[in-house]
Amino acid sequence: MGTIFSELRRRNVIRVAIAYVITSWLLLQIADVVLNNIGAPRWVFQTLLLLLAIGFFIAVLFSWVYEVTPEGVKKEQDVARSGSIATGRKLDLVIIGLMAVALVYFAWDKFLAAPPGEDAQVTATPSAAQQPDNSIAVLPFTNMSDDQANEYFSDGLSEELLNALVHIGGLRVTGRTSSFAFKGQNTDLREIGRILNVSHVLEGSVRKDRNRVRITAQLVKTADGFHVWSDTFDRELEDIFAIQQEIANRVTGSLHVALLGQTPT
């Protein structure tokens, strides 16, 4: 065991591993902030994490076989002992520099970006008062049936609802592209409200059994995640477009009252 450890040190494998881990941590912190601000799907961050994990093993294997010298990349066996020591010293300096950057970022994130107490809560997430009261995002309705073709029906229903809500005066509706970015994502509705800056989210599901469909719609307040309104509709699949329009009109009428306190004219 001691021989293996000594060989790992001599080939600078341990130094490369430490430098890679610190660099990956810094990249993930930056990516988390940037991706959250642009509302990127969660899978983007997960893909980056996976790529960095795979890259770790590649970097370790590379450092075992090769070594970077002033003359370029050479096989480890072709590098003199003195050259390997010089490379190790340079890696030590790189590690120290990366650790210093990581410590500065950690201190900024914990003590400067979000001061403890009430101010930290305000800095971390927008308060309910900052989100327009009469604002809503329509999330893609979930297809809960085995029939993948039913996905077109559920997506079409979501678009019909979005289009109907846009025509309600005094109601701010998030665009389709922003709302549909959360399709297939199990993101907390409070987080969605923060990202899209809306006070309410309309979500739902579609279940199909032979020629019968059951549609469930739910209005959720993003400030606390509690339901404001919900309803279930059972229909025979005879005219898909007519069903989508009917359900959209029924839901819109109910939300007109729930959100604006007005009966639709």
Side-chain angles (χ1 to χ4, degrees), residues 37 120-132 190-198 222-223:
N37 285 335
Q121 184 66 25
V122 174
T123 303
T125 57
S127 64
Q130 291 177 298
Q131 297 171 340
R190 291 169 294 184
E191 179 68 9
I192 294 177
R194 184 189 70 82
I195 295 173
L196 299 180
N197 194 31
V198 292
T222 58

Side-chain angles (χ1 to χ4, degrees), residues 8-34:
L8 290 173
R9 289 186 60 188
R10 187 184 71 81
R11 296 182 181 224
N12 296 314
V13 174
I14 296 177
R15 291 183 174 94
V16 169
I18 294 174
Y20 188 93
V21 169
I22 298 175
T23 303
S24 298
W25 182 83
L26 287 171
L27 287 174
L28 290 174
Q29 301 307 309
I30 296 172
D32 187 46
V33 174
V34 173

Side-chain angles (χ1 to χ4, degrees), residues 7 10-12 62-67 74-81 84:
E7 188 66 14
R10 187 184 71 81
R11 296 182 181 224
N12 296 314
F62 182 89
S63 64
W64 175 266
V65 179
Y66 297 96
E67 192 163 317
K74 294 183 178 180
K75 285 189 175 182
E76 189 278 335
Q77 61 187 14
D78 297 333
V79 179
R81 176 64 176 165
S84 182

